[in-house]
Amino acid sequence: MDKKIFSALFFSIFAAVTGIGIVVPLLPVYAHDLGASGLYIALIFGGFSISRTIFLPMFGRWSDKKGRKPFLTVGLFFYFIISLAFIFARDLNSLVILRIIQGAASAMIMPVAMAYVGDITPKGREGTTMGIFNMSIFLGLSIGPLLGGVISDLFSLQAAFAWMGALAFGAFCLSGVFLPPVHSERIVSAGFHAIPWKQLILDLSILRLFIFRMVYATCIGIIWGFLPVYGAVSFGLSSAAIGTLVMLGVAVNGVIHVPMGVVADHLDKRKLVIGGGVIAAAGISVMGWAQGFWGLFFASAVFGIGGGIAMPSLMALAVVSGNQNTAMGAVMAMITIAHSLGMLLGSLFAGVMMDLVGLQLAFPAGAVIMLAGVAGFIALTYGSEIDGFIKRGSA
């Protein structure tokens, strides 16, 4: 594996995600203070997911054809510009529009970076490599919310947006300077052979990853979009305390990501995904019955443990599928689409729950959704094996 490329991708994504993490726990409370209903808060988070979902197939396929670096650098530069625009946003409509634009830029960053890592991953080390790379995401999402809460408490929300912009610009510089020219990328030098989207969508081994990632992201959408509001309204938690809660689940996930990536290279990845999903369901369920900061603290930690067990194996399986189909960008785009759809559905679902029956019930309902996704993953795993057995028998 090319360590220079890996390091450039790692630190670029770490810087960009840290910037995003700074404002994630602050946006729902800021929108609520501006008079947003639960559904409007959902739109602020959902707008990001909608636009990212629309553009992901296009950018994922184009990166398979044109190379990874152009999309990554352009996307990071747009992150920088949008961060500056957030500083001057003073109404709910502006927040929604900026999140929609930010979602489109995101479609050029995360799936393309993951595809690039998949391109340079040695065979048999998919779990370890993706586990290490995903640390860039989880470290950024751990440090960002805590840093954002502190900056907001000490200075202002606009200062937090400025920090997000500075980190995005740093990531843009890192990727632009240290990633090699496009012509040297493996996907470009090997030539592009488009795999029909229908073939990828109907592949049960990919579909099961899509479903699991979507329901897991649905739970994240519920937590990120409405745990800050739940903590602030129900328990009077400060911005720093809310940032700590959002940080905790991500931090725990990240801490065990690397060792679980190593484990994934030696054990049955499917069983690790299933076990992690069950634990994550338990974590989000407990949030609905928490009695204060420490109850939410425990629940966030349990949810993080579940994700830390499941995600390295899930992403390792995605790398294997990407290599098998010679469509790493397209496969990673599908996985990221699943994440975007889940975030959208989670935020919309919790917003409706908040307005109709109360926010507290959204968290155990999320657990039911998570368990349904685990069941779907199990069914499609067995379906894939049965399909393979039938094909071998008829050969």
Side-chain angles (χ1 to χ4, degrees):
M1 181 174 64
D2 191 314
K3 293 182 179 179
K4 180 182 176 182
I5 294 176
F6 184 87
S7 298
L9 292 168
F10 184 97
F11 288 108
S12 293
I13 295 303
F14 169 72
V17 173
T18 300
I20 295 297
I22 284 175
V23 299
V24 162
L26 304 178
L27 275 176
V29 178
Y30 181 49
H32 188 264
D33 291 342
L34 290 176
S37 65
L39 186 58
Y40 224 116
I41 295 174
L43 286 174
I44 291 173
F45 276 82
F48 178 95
S49 299
I50 291 171
S51 62
R52 184 163 74 162
T53 300
I54 291 172
F55 286 102
L56 273 168
M58 181 190 309
F59 293 142
R61 178 56 60 86
W62 282 357
S63 78
D64 281 338
K65 184 177 182 179
K66 302 292 186 181
R68 316 294 187 198
K69 183 176 179 177
F71 295 94
L72 189 59
T73 52
V74 170
L76 288 169
F77 184 75
F78 269 98
Y79 256 31
F80 164 64
I81 297 299
I82 294 163
S83 300
L84 298 182
F86 268 117
I87 296 175
F88 303 101
R90 293 293 186 271
D91 59 77
L92 294 173
N93 290 333
S94 297
L95 291 179
V96 172
I97 292 170
L98 287 174
R99 287 286 287 173
I100 290 172
I101 300 172
Q102 192 176 41
S106 176
M108 289 187 271
I109 299 173
M110 198 58 64
V112 174
M114 290 191 296
Y116 208 148
V117 173
D119 291 339
I120 63 175
T121 296
K123 186 176 182 180
R125 289 180 56 83
E126 295 89 359
T128 301
T129 304
M130 293 306 295
I132 294 172
F133 177 72
N134 282 340
M135 281 290 291
S136 66
I137 301 171
F138 291 111
L139 283 173
L141 290 177
S142 300
I143 297 171
L146 182 59
L147 184 60
V150 172
I151 292 172
S152 179
D153 286 343
L154 294 179
F155 301 102
S156 66
L157 180 64
Q158 281 66 40
F161 289 138
W163 271 87
M164 179 172 68
L167 287 167
F169 185 74
F172 163 73
C173 293
L174 279 172
S175 62
V177 172
F178 292 105
L179 290 180
V182 174
H183 63 77
S184 65
E185 294 181 20
R186 194 191 78 174
I187 188 66
V188 174
S189 59
F192 174 72
H193 305 284
I195 303 296
W197 280 110
K198 182 179 179 181
Q199 180 178 328
L200 294 175
I201 293 170
L202 295 179
D203 188 329
L204 296 183
S205 65
I206 298 176
L207 183 60
R208 63 182 178 175
L209 305 181
F210 184 95
I211 290 175
F212 188 95
R213 184 63 181 259
M214 183 173 68
V215 297
Y216 179 71
T218 298
C219 294
I220 295 176
I222 294 171
I223 294 170
W224 284 13
F226 291 90
L227 181 60
V229 177
Y230 184 56
V233 173
S234 299
F235 307 114
L237 300 182
S238 67
S239 295
I242 291 170
T244 299
L245 291 174
V246 175
M247 173 208 72
L248 180 68
V250 179
V252 171
N253 192 327
V255 165
I256 64 175
H257 226 74
V258 174
M260 290 310 302
V262 176
V263 170
D265 287 335
H266 296 88
L267 297 182
D268 191 331
K269 297 176 180 62
R270 300 166 299 178
K271 293 179 180 178
L272 291 171
V273 171
I274 293 166
V278 172
I279 295 172
I284 191 173
S285 177
V286 172
M287 288 180 185
W289 316 116
Q291 297 302 309
F293 174 81
W294 290 109
L296 293 173
F297 187 96
F298 172 76
S300 295
V302 173
F303 184 79
I305 290 171
I309 293 172
M311 285 300 109
S313 293
L314 187 93
M315 294 309 300
L317 291 169
V319 171
V320 172
S321 294
N323 282 323
Q324 289 175 344
N325 290 281
T326 60
M328 190 70 70
V331 170
M332 291 302 177
M334 287 185 64
I335 298 299
T336 312
I337 288 171
H339 183 86
S340 296
L341 286 175
M343 292 288 286
L344 171 63
L345 293 173
S347 59
L348 290 174
F349 174 76
V352 171
M353 293 283 285
M354 174 180 168
D355 290 341
L356 296 181
V357 299
L359 183 55
Q360 182 181 17
L361 295 178
F363 299 106
V368 174
I369 295 172
M370 184 73 245
L371 291 175
V374 171
F377 181 88
I378 293 172
L380 288 172
T381 295
Y382 286 121
S384 179
E385 291 181 350
I386 293 171
D387 183 59
F389 177 79
I390 293 173
K391 288 181 179 178
R392 288 193 298 271
S394 61

